[in-house]
Amino acid sequence: MRSMAGLSTAVQTATLIAITAALAVTVVALWRPWEASGQAQLAAMGTGIQQVHDLLLRREGATNLAHPVIIRPFAEVHAVAIEWNGRSIIVPAVVSTIEYAGPKQRIPGIYYLDRGEVDVLGNYIANNKLNYTTEGVDVVTYAIYTDREVRVITKALPYVSYSVDRIYNDVVVTVTVRTVFVSPYASDAEALRQVIQTGYVVPPGDMLTFRLNSTRRTFYQLPESIDGGSLRVLVDGQPVPRITFSTNEKVVLRVFVDYVTVTVWAR
């Protein structure tokens, strides 16, 4: 490059500014295709997370994933206790999850609220603040951000509810607990035991398919309470505020436990 000696300071400054601007434009022009590709990948990831949420909610359907996920059939186990007059029926509630983990980044549709607590789909806050639902919608998706990583978790929550009816002179109290088990294998085989320990990995590009396999119902009934009593339902030792009932009439307490199995596979 020839020396700029002999040119005035103003001309030299203007020339340097022009060269710097030209280089900046060139760098931006070269970078934009990579930026557009990255944004497209993030958008596809956000759409895939939404689709996984919706398919698990419907219990059926299929989607092609642009990102890897791991399915954990036994991610959590919670204890649902139905208490009546000091007596208790304990129901284990298995929680399955479908998880994505990757470098910390803003994924479209994943709304950042605070470190470690993100509300995404299903009005759920992470950090184990709520491990059940009483609303009937038992699928939630949330994200956990750390310093370097984001984990997006789609979870099938246990559902608990109760109803009070009158049959002739008896009050019939019915408590229902529903738990959803997501697994690549419907039977209790060796392969299922292995997946429970390690998780089931779905690589990017595979089609993930959901199918409602079965619903198995278990029924419990306590002896009639002539002088009534009080009902409480607890999840992991914490009472469910919306489920409380007391009466001094004759009561029949029934407990229904629904085990819903959703089979998933990738190809």
Side-chain angles (χ1 to χ4, degrees):
M1 181 181 292
R2 292 187 299 175
S3 172
M4 298 179 67
L7 297 177
S8 66
T9 302
V11 172
Q12 291 184 43
T13 302
T15 302
L16 289 174
I17 291 174
I19 293 172
T20 303
L23 289 173
V25 169
T26 302
V27 170
V28 170
L30 291 173
W31 177 64
R32 277 179 178 171
W34 296 102
E35 178 194 25
S37 175
Q39 290 299 318
Q41 291 178 358
L42 288 176
M45 188 181 300
T47 301
I49 291 169
Q50 173 76 60
Q51 289 174 341
V52 167
H53 177 100
D54 293 342
L55 292 175
L56 183 55
L57 189 62
R58 297 203 311 264
R59 321 283 200 233
E60 63 178 0
T63 182
N64 280 104
L65 293 180
H67 56 282
V69 297
I70 182 167
I71 299 170
R72 303 186 188 278
F74 271 82
E76 303 172 14
V77 179
H78 299 285
V80 181
I82 298 95
E83 291 187 354
W84 178 258
N85 289 348
R87 300 183 61 179
S88 181
I89 298 174
I90 307 296
V91 177
V94 175
V95 174
S96 303
T97 62
I98 302 172
E99 304 180 14
Y100 161 80
K104 186 176 182 180
Q105 54 192 340
R106 295 294 178 87
I107 302 172
I110 308 300
Y111 305 110
Y112 180 81
L113 297 181
D114 195 2
R115 177 180 175 182
E117 298 183 3
V118 178
D119 185 5
V120 186
L121 303 167
N123 297 322
Y124 182 84
I125 300 296
N127 201 22
N128 294 325
K129 290 188 176 179
L130 186 63
N131 290 314
Y132 63 90
T133 177
T134 59
E135 304 294 335
V137 178
D138 54 13
V139 176
V140 297
T141 297
Y142 60 93
I144 298 177
Y145 284 88
T146 61
D147 290 334
R148 297 182 180 179
E149 186 184 54
V150 58
R151 291 175 60 217
V152 184
I153 301 171
T154 298
K155 176 185 293 188
L157 289 174
Y159 167 69
V160 293
S161 67
Y162 84 113
S163 62
V164 179
D165 302 290
R166 183 176 295 278
I167 300 178
Y168 299 108
N169 294 322
D170 296 342
V171 174
V172 179
V173 179
T174 302
V175 179
T176 301
V177 180
R178 183 177 65 229
T179 182
V180 180
F181 179 66
V182 182
S183 170
Y185 305 102
S187 61
D188 186 14
E190 180 63 33
L192 176 58
R193 287 191 285 271
Q194 182 64 32
V195 165
I196 289 173
Q197 294 176 0
T198 62
Y200 179 71
V201 179
V202 180
D206 277 17
M207 176 174 287
L208 186 63
T209 301
F210 294 74
R211 185 183 67 187
L212 176 60
N213 184 277
S214 63
T215 299
R216 180 169 56 89
R217 168 163 282 191
T218 303
F219 171 69
Y220 305 89
Q221 180 168 317
L222 292 179
E224 296 179 357
S225 300
I226 303 300
D227 298 323
S230 298
L231 170 72
R232 285 203 316 164
V233 174
L234 303 93
V235 177
D236 295 334
Q238 298 297 317
V240 180
R242 295 187 59 178
I243 302 183
T244 57
F245 175 76
S246 297
T247 183
N248 55 9
E249 297 183 79
K250 182 180 177 183
V251 172
V252 176
L253 176 64
R254 298 172 178 173
V255 178
F256 291 98
V257 182
D258 293 334
Y259 297 95
V260 180
T261 301
V262 177
T263 304
V264 295
W265 68 91
R267 67 176 189 273

